[in-house]
Every structure is written in C-alpha cells, then in structure tokens.
Amino acid sequence: GPIQSSIEEALIDAFSPWHLDVMNESHMHSVPPGSESHFKVVVVSDTFDDLRTLGRHRAINAALKPQLDAGLHALSIVPLTRQQWSDRGGVVPASPLCRGGSKTD
C-alpha cells in the first residue's frame, strides 16, 4: 500500500540499507481489513556501525517522522549492522500477536 511504500522509500533514502524488510502487521491487530497502521521494519545498514540501539531507533523514527505524524500507529524497529544480521543468520523473531482488545469490546 501507499504507506508501506512511503516507509520503504524513506528508509532507503536515509540509510541505503544492505537489507530492508517493511512488514505490514496491521492484520495482527483489531483494525479494519486493508489497514496500514502497524509495521515492523528490519533495517540492516552500515550507517548503524557507530550507533547504539537507541541512536538507531531515533534515526529511524526521525526518517519516518512524516509517516508517524500522519497517523502511523505502531512501529516495531529491528536496526542491525551487517555483522549482527550475519550473526543472526538473517533471521529476526516473529512479532507477538496483539494482546489488545477491539475498540468495540
């Protein structure tokens, strides 16, 4: 969708990632079908070599400020160096299922 595409473009522009996954996880939450409100991003970039985890999160949040300001509800961030990505075998844990209720509950 358009929000996912704008997230991908912003992350590519900001970090020239070696690997990028932008996953729409909205279907795992109490939102209407086709929503683009909950995303998980896996960004593997040499930009992160000199940054600690908090700095990486801040940089990604800054790059996605327009999307967050426009109403992006939830963003799960997995920022890794190439070495960290390699050490994990290119695998990140699956996101947990939503434990929240529906607004109509």
Side-chain angles (χ1 to χ4, degrees):
I3 295 172
Q4 183 168 348
S5 294
S6 73
I7 291 170
E8 290 169 352
E9 289 171 16
L11 294 174
I12 289 168
D13 288 347
F15 303 105
S16 301
W18 185 77
H19 176 84
L20 175 65
D21 280 328
V22 177
M23 296 159 270
N24 183 349
E25 295 186 333
S26 301
H27 66 279
M28 298 167 58
H29 301 273
S30 297
V31 297
S35 292
E36 288 189 286
S37 57
H38 296 71
F39 284 89
K40 178 177 185 174
V41 297
V42 178
V43 185
V44 181
S45 175
D46 294 333
T47 305
F48 299 145
D49 286 347
D50 296 325
L51 292 176
R52 296 178 130 186
T53 302
L54 182 59
R56 297 172 191 181
H57 279 253
R58 286 179 175 159
I60 290 172
N61 281 323
L64 297 180
K65 186 175 183 338
Q67 292 81 357
L68 291 163
D69 288 348
L72 177 60
H73 177 72
L75 182 63
S76 173
I77 299 172
V78 183
L80 303 169
T81 64
R82 270 197 233 199
Q83 185 62 54
Q84 290 168 324
W85 178 250
S86 177
D87 291 347
R88 292 174 175 230
V91 176
V92 296
S95 297
L97 293 175
C98 178
R99 296 182 59 181
S102 169
K103 291 181 182 179
T104 60
D105 286 347

